[in-house]
């Protein structure tokens, strides 16, 4: 897999480098932010491979392969949230975080290396929520938005009023919280936090691109959050009779039936378990023997 190039689109003084196929995975959208004294690149995507614009530093929203595929083109300081730092520093740690079956790890690791050019960056530096990068007349502030990964972060660029929400991407696929470090409750809290931030532009990593205006962004954000509710409704319907976690995973809450790969079953299981825990806590689901669950 190789870079297919990007298209540069200006929003004030923020340049969005729109990845191939409108930033659909395995590609993505990157941001180029310039001030009077420094410049930053946010989330170097696969489309930047071989054509990476020169900058003084790189910010990584989270430790997933499609957000760092272009990182090899940069010999400048790299920053990510402390909770995702080990995974950016080590491809082995990143691979382990996906929680895929042991017999598939070697092939998955090879794919990250060969298709996404992922190499560990042991020199990467960690930031925390609220950290600010001053570029001279322009600042980039970290907005920690965990749930997708533990360290997943957005970036607010001022004075332009541009909020980059990374993989709170507003797609019809909905929120993804199927990794070992994912958390549906944290994801929902992050969605609520995004909703409270007033900006002129809201940029996403994939497909939806840039949305102008808080009202339209919040409308799309509510629809994105609604996918979580639909998954729970589908689960409750499926639990009209007792089911095991394996049966729920096979039924699928996340992926469509045609999607295959070693990641699918673990993601479906982790997603199912998180929703079961929530629904049990609300008194809507009960556990019955042996190891089965049904709607209360």
């Amino acid at each position: 897999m190789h870079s297919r190039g990007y298209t540069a689109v200006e929003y004030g003084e923020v340049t969005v480098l729109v990845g191939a196929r409108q930033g659909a995975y395995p590609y993505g959208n990157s941001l180029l932010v310039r001030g009077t004294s420094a410049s930053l690149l946010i989330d170097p995507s696969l489309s930047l491979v071989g054509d990476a614009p020169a900058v003084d530093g790189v910010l990584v929203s989270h430790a997933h392969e499609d957000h760092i595929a272009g990182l090899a083109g940069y010999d400048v300081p790299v920053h990510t949230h402390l909770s995702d730092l080990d995974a950016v520093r080590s491809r082995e740690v990143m691979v382990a975080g996906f929680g895929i079956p042991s017999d598939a790890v070697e092939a998955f690791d090879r794919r990250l290396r060969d298709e996404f050019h992922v190499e560990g960056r042991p020199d990467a530096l960690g930031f925390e929520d609220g950290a600010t990068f001053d570029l001279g007349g322009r600042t980039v502030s970290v907005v920690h938005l965990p749930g997708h990964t533990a360290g997943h972060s957005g970036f607010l660029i001022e004075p332009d009023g541009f909020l980059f929400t990374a993989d709170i991407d507003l797609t019809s696929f909905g929120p993804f919280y199927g990794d070992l470090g994912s958390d549906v409750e944290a994801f929902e809290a992050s969605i609520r936090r995004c909703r409270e931030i007033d900006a002129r532009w809201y940029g996403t990593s994939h497909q939806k691109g840039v949305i102008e205006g808080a009202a339209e962004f919040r409308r799309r954000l509510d629809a994105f959050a609604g996918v979580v509710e639909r998954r729970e409704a589908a689960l409750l319907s499926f639990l009209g009779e007792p089911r095991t976690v394996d049966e729920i995973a096979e039924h699928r809450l996340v992926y469509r039936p045609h999607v295959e790969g070693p990641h699918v079953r673990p993601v479906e299981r982790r997603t199912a378990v998180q929703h079961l825990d929530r629904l049990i806590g609300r008194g809507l689901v009960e556990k019955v023997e042996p190891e089965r669950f049904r709607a209360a």
Side-chain angles (χ1 to χ4, degrees):
M1 187 180 296
H2 301 285
S3 166
R4 290 177 56 185
Y6 58 84
T7 302
V9 183
E10 306 288 339
Y11 295 89
E13 296 297 322
V14 177
T15 304
V16 178
L17 308 181
V18 181
R21 291 172 40 200
Q22 306 244 279
Y25 184 90
Y27 301 100
N29 303 323
S30 306
L31 260 62
L32 176 60
V33 188
R34 294 190 178 98
T36 58
S37 59
S39 59
L40 288 174
L41 194 289
I42 297 173
D43 280 6
S45 77
L46 193 61
S47 292
L48 270 62
V49 174
D51 191 20
V55 292
D56 300 300
V58 173
L59 303 183
V60 174
S61 66
H62 64 290
H64 277 168
E65 71 281 4
D66 50 320
H67 297 261
I68 64 168
L71 195 53
Y74 288 105
D75 184 21
V76 296
V78 175
H79 308 259
T80 194
H81 192 277
L82 286 167
S83 295
D84 277 18
L85 182 57
D86 288 345
V88 171
R89 286 178 171 176
S90 163
R91 190 176 71 232
E92 182 180 4
V93 173
M94 181 182 293
V95 169
F98 287 98
I100 59 175
S102 58
D103 61 355
V105 166
E106 184 177 349
F108 190 74
D109 179 74
R110 187 165 56 247
R111 180 171 181 251
L112 294 198
R113 183 194 68 199
D114 296 346
E115 297 184 23
F116 289 91
H117 315 283
V118 175
E119 299 292 344
R121 285 296 295 253
D123 59 325
L125 305 167
F127 55 59
E128 296 183 85
D129 184 41
T132 298
F133 297 85
D134 189 344
L135 308 182
R138 181 158 288 101
T139 59
V140 180
S141 300
V142 174
V143 182
H144 187 208
L145 300 170
H148 182 60
T149 68
H152 181 271
S153 297
F155 302 99
L156 180 61
I157 302 160
E158 296 287 15
D160 308 87
F162 192 110
L163 177 66
F164 182 66
T165 60
D167 273 359
I168 298 180
D169 58 17
L170 311 180
T171 59
S172 59
F173 180 86
F176 177 92
Y177 38 89
D179 289 353
L180 291 179
S182 300
D183 185 285
V184 63
E185 301 275 0
F187 207 129
E188 289 183 319
S190 293
I191 289 173
R192 290 192 295 271
R193 185 175 187 189
C194 284
R195 209 177 187 287
E196 295 169 357
I197 297 174
D198 288 318
R200 179 177 180 184
W201 292 292
Y202 299 83
T204 68
S205 289
H206 302 290
Q207 294 158 284
K208 297 304 178 184
V210 177
I211 290 88
E212 184 167 5
E216 177 63 14
F217 173 70
R218 287 167 184 152
R219 185 186 71 77
R220 296 193 187 202
L221 192 64
D222 290 346
F224 182 69
V227 175
V228 178
E229 297 173 13
R230 289 203 300 277
R231 288 174 186 157
E232 292 201 333
L235 177 55
L236 279 170
S237 178
F238 187 60
L239 294 179
E241 60 183 80
R243 311 281 190 176
T244 66
V245 172
D246 282 337
E247 287 172 333
I248 298 168
E250 186 67 28
H251 183 66
R252 298 198 177 188
L253 298 174
V254 180
Y255 294 109
R256 293 178 179 177
H258 71 277
V259 178
E260 298 179 353
H263 64 294
V264 171
R265 194 167 190 82
V267 166
E268 292 288 353
R269 281 187 60 90
R270 284 190 289 270
T271 301
V273 167
Q274 290 185 71
H275 282 290
L276 284 170
D277 287 345
R278 278 158 57 101
L279 293 170
I280 290 170
R282 296 170 185 170
L284 297 174
V285 166
E286 59 185 2
K287 187 174 183 180
V288 295
E289 296 301 332
E291 297 302 311
R292 291 178 181 271
F293 301 85
R294 70 180 176 201

